Amino acid sequence: FKRGALTLDLGCGIGRDTFWLASNGFEAEGMDASQGMLEIAQKKYPQLGFKRVSLPEIGIEDAFENIFCCAVLMHIPRSQLVSSVISLLKALKPSGRLVLSYRSANGEDDGRLFETYHPGQVAQLFESLGSKVLLIEKDGIWENLVIEKQDL
């Protein structure tokens, strides 16, 4: 990530990682699909900006140098994966970086959808859309990818 640059915490939940990013030299904004989580985030961190958005359409173009997207992809239905990836890439500036982390379990947990996406297939999708995958790693049940948007 580029320190000091505009950074999106997509799927920010209650704002913990948004706060960490802001406290460590990033101009951080938090966005999440859950209004309840955002209300908690705004109470805990009133100095930060939070907004309600959800994939597949976040409606932002060429805005962020960095995007941190943790625990979101696993909740995206397969039918919305391609449009979600396109939205993520649109939100990045050319040469911007995306850190994508998601749980590799499937099924449902407490009624929430958990899709299983193989990291190689996710990487191939990003690369087919003109990005460069810089890292793929597994940490327990978490898949982690670092992706750079190419300036095409």
Side-chain angles (χ1 to χ4, degrees):
F1 274 9
K2 297 171 186 166
R3 204 171 287 282
L6 188 57
T7 302
L8 171 60
D9 179 7
L10 183 62
C12 68
I14 61 170
R16 180 195 68 197
D17 294 331
T18 313
F19 176 74
W20 185 93
L21 287 162
S23 299
N24 285 277
F26 299 94
E27 188 182 334
E29 294 181 14
M31 297 184 188
D32 200 280
S34 168
Q35 187 62 39
M37 293 277 206
L38 291 170
E39 288 170 7
I40 294 169
Q42 200 63 70
K43 285 179 187 170
K44 288 182 76 154
Y45 310 108
Q47 71 278 23
L48 298 176
F50 296 97
K51 182 178 174 185
R52 186 171 184 195
V53 298
S54 62
L55 288 172
E57 186 53 52
I58 57 177
I60 299 167
E61 292 194 22
D62 294 327
F64 298 96
E65 292 284 347
N66 310 306
I67 297 177
F68 179 63
C69 185
C70 182
V72 174
L73 190 68
M74 61 207 195
H75 299 299
I76 302 297
R78 288 195 179 282
S79 63
Q80 296 178 348
L81 180 62
V82 173
S83 56
S84 294
V85 167
I86 289 169
S87 285
L88 284 167
L89 290 174
K90 280 183 178 179
L92 273 175
K93 289 185 175 184
S95 301
R97 294 214 172 147
L98 164 67
V99 173
L100 184 64
S101 184
Y102 61 94
R103 200 169 114 176
S104 60
N106 63 353
E108 287 192 22
D109 184 6
D110 297 328
R112 295 183 300 158
L113 171 69
F114 283 91
E115 286 281 7
T116 299
Y117 294 110
H118 187 279
Q121 292 171 324
V122 172
Q124 185 177 27
L125 175 57
F126 274 97
E127 288 184 342
S128 75
L129 294 167
S131 298
K132 183 176 181 180
V133 177
L134 305 175
L135 173 75
I136 300 175
E137 72 173 10
K138 186 171 183 76
D139 182 12
I141 63 167
W142 292 91
E143 304 288 354
N144 304 298
L145 292 88
V146 178
I147 298 144
E148 184 176 83
K149 180 177 179 178
Q150 300 298 290
D151 188 6
L152 298 176

